[in-house]
């Protein structure tokens, strides 16, 4: 028998934990983010989802609507509900951020994502300093200000940190670098819970971000690149203290 809308699965998202449909959207969202449901793949039909979660069609439909609004799903008549390409995902949506942080991931992949960031982001900072416009600079500076303001509130800090790195990528005005946004975002979101578990770590990281932002503001491309290298080397060192790789 379907559960009522007051029933609870296992809430992790602050903004969607109160409704059953919200928790179904979280479950499905996590499956999309960790690759259990791939872009282009059809979602199980409505009846199957109702049976799996023990809920009414109304709850399933509301959950799907939430994921459509976040860019994770699309609904097509006579075809079904399909996972969207990652370029449509609203990566900075608060719930998507929370879902990313709730995922488990093997240590080797975390290291690989950090290596990707170290390969890409210093050059992105270099180009951002050379090419950024005033609106893009404002987005970078505002993100650092928000990181400093919310250093003691980890969910808000994470959001600001993600905005900073994505703003730097976008300020390169290079569509191919911007296309790497999702991979950079995933690397950040999956590692930051390990590298920045407390306010002390957040506050130590803010000056490193501030140095990058100021170099971009002054259009000192080399300093921006060097600052990003220093920041990511610091993050990689902290990550290496908490992950283990098979020898």
């Amino acid at each position: 028998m379907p559960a009522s809308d007051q029933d609870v699965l296992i809430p992790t998202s602050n903004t969607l934990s109160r409704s059953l449909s919200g928790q179904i959207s979280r479950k499905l969202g996590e499956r999309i983010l960790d690759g259990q449901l791939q872009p282009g793949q059809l979602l199980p039909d409505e009846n199957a989802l109702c049976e799996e979660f023990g809920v009414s069609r109304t709850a399933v439909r509301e959950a799907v609507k939430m994921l459509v609004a976040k860019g994770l799903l699309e609904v097509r008549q006579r075809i079904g509900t399909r996972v969207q390409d990652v370029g449509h995902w609203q990566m900075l949506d608060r719930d998507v951020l929370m879902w990313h942080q709730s995922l488990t991931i093997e240590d080797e992949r975390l290291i690989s994502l950090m290596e990707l960031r170290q390969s890409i982001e210093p050059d992105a900072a270099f180009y951002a300093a050379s090419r950024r416009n005033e609106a893009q600079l404002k987005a970078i500076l505002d993100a650092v200000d928000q990181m400093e303001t919310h250093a003691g509130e980890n969910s808000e800090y994470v959001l600001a940190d993600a905005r900073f790195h994505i703003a730097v990528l976008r300020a390169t005005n290079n569509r191919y670098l911007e296309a790497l946004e999702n991979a950079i975002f995933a690397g950040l979101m999956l590692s930051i819970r390990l590298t920045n578990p407390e306010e002390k770590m957040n506050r130590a990281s803010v000056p490193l971000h501030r140095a990058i932002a100021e170099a971009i503001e002054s259009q000192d491309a080399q300093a921006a690149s060097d600052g990003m290298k220093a920041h990511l080397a610091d993050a990689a060192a902290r990550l290496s203290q908490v992950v283990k790789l098979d020898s």
Side-chain angles (χ1 to χ4, degrees), residues 181-200:
E181 179 179 308
N182 294 307
I184 298 299
F185 179 92
L188 171 65
M189 293 309 303
L190 293 168
S191 64
I192 196 170
R193 62 187 176 191
L194 301 177
T195 60
N196 289 51
E198 58 187 19
E199 180 179 351
K200 179 182 177 181

Side-chain angles (χ1 to χ4, degrees), residues 160-174:
D161 197 346
R163 282 177 174 156
F164 173 84
H165 287 276
I166 288 177
V168 171
L169 276 178
R170 292 176 179 174
T172 65
N173 292 302
N174 180 316

Side-chain angles (χ1 to χ4, degrees), residues 217-235:
E217 181 176 26
S218 63
Q219 297 187 298
D220 187 336
Q222 190 58 56
S225 177
D226 290 344
M228 186 66 81
K229 285 179 183 176
H231 159 51
L232 292 176
D234 174 70

Side-chain angles (χ1 to χ4, degrees), residues 4-16:
S4 72
D5 284 354
Q6 281 70 45
D7 289 339
V8 175
L9 299 177
I10 305 175
T12 58
S13 168
N14 290 332
T15 58
L16 286 182

